[in-house]
């Protein structure tokens, strides 16, 4: 999340923002929590654990400033290239040949706090859902 905490506000009409603008709170005493069911869930979970992060504690170990994380993060500078291919896809068809990618190399940049494994998981799930469960 780039920007200041004052840039964050509770959205009551989801049609007024793009989903790429939506952030979720990481618990802390400076955080503005949602005022809907999600905010209730945050409060319920924190209370069940005996955590009160809405006020700053004297003990540094038990104080968390908090932050925000984007709900959806796009990768920057996404590039890929084929590492290996299998030239013959369908051995039953002698006229149709279509290269199948056996391996590909991806390079991309993510914002701090984002995980490359999640990005790759999303790519693989999309790929697998198109076919017969094989990558």
């Amino acid at each position: 999340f780039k920007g200041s905490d004052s840039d964050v506000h509770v959205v009551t009409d989801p049609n007024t923002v793009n989903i790429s603008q939506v952030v979720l709170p990481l618990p802390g005493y400076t955080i503005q929590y949602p005022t809907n069911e999600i905010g209730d869930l945050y409060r319920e979970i924190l209370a069940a654990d005996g955590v009160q992060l809405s006020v700053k504690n004297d003990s540094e170990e038990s104080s968390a400033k908090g932050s925000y994380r984007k709900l959806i993060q796009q990768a920057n500078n996404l590039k890929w290239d084929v590492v290996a291919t299998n030239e013959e896809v369908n051995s039953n068809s002698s006229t149709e040949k279509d290269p199948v990618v056996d391996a590909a190399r991806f390079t991309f940049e993510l914002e701090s706090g984002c995980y490359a494994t999640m990005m790759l998981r999303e790519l693989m799930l999309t790929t697998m859902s198109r076919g017969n469960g094989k990558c």
Side-chain angles (χ1 to χ4, degrees):
F1 170 72
K2 292 182 180 176
S4 69
D5 292 347
S6 63
D7 293 337
V8 174
H9 62 275
V10 175
V11 175
T12 55
D13 181 3
N15 296 317
T16 62
V17 295
N18 185 301
I19 193 154
S20 66
Q21 296 174 294
V22 176
V23 295
L24 295 175
L26 297 176
Y29 63 86
T30 64
I31 297 305
Q32 180 178 352
Y33 293 94
T35 57
N36 56 19
E37 309 83 44
I38 301 297
D40 294 341
L41 186 60
Y42 271 94
R43 286 182 278 284
E44 180 182 319
I45 291 170
L46 291 172
D49 288 338
V51 177
Q52 183 181 11
L53 291 176
S54 59
V55 294
K56 185 176 181 178
N57 296 321
D58 291 334
S59 171
E60 186 176 321
E61 292 83 20
S62 63
S63 289
K65 181 179 177 188
S67 186
Y68 297 96
R69 180 153 303 156
K70 286 185 177 182
L71 178 63
I72 294 178
Q73 177 66 54
Q74 290 185 328
N76 298 313
N77 299 319
L78 175 62
K79 297 175 187 167
W80 67 277
D81 61 331
V82 174
V83 176
T85 62
N86 178 356
E87 294 296 326
E88 190 171 322
V89 175
N90 188 351
S91 60
N92 297 334
S93 173
S94 60
T95 58
E96 290 187 31
K97 304 232 188 232
D98 187 13
V100 173
V101 174
D102 288 329
R105 179 182 306 123
F106 292 89
T107 60
F108 51 89
E109 296 172 1
L110 296 172
E111 298 282 333
S112 177
C114 295
Y115 296 95
T117 51
M118 298 298 287
M119 164 84 174
L120 294 172
R121 182 194 74 167
E122 293 301 315
L123 285 171
M124 298 305 291
L125 287 175
T126 301
T127 301
M128 291 178 74
S129 67
R130 281 190 243 143
N132 57 5
K134 296 181 182 177
C135 294

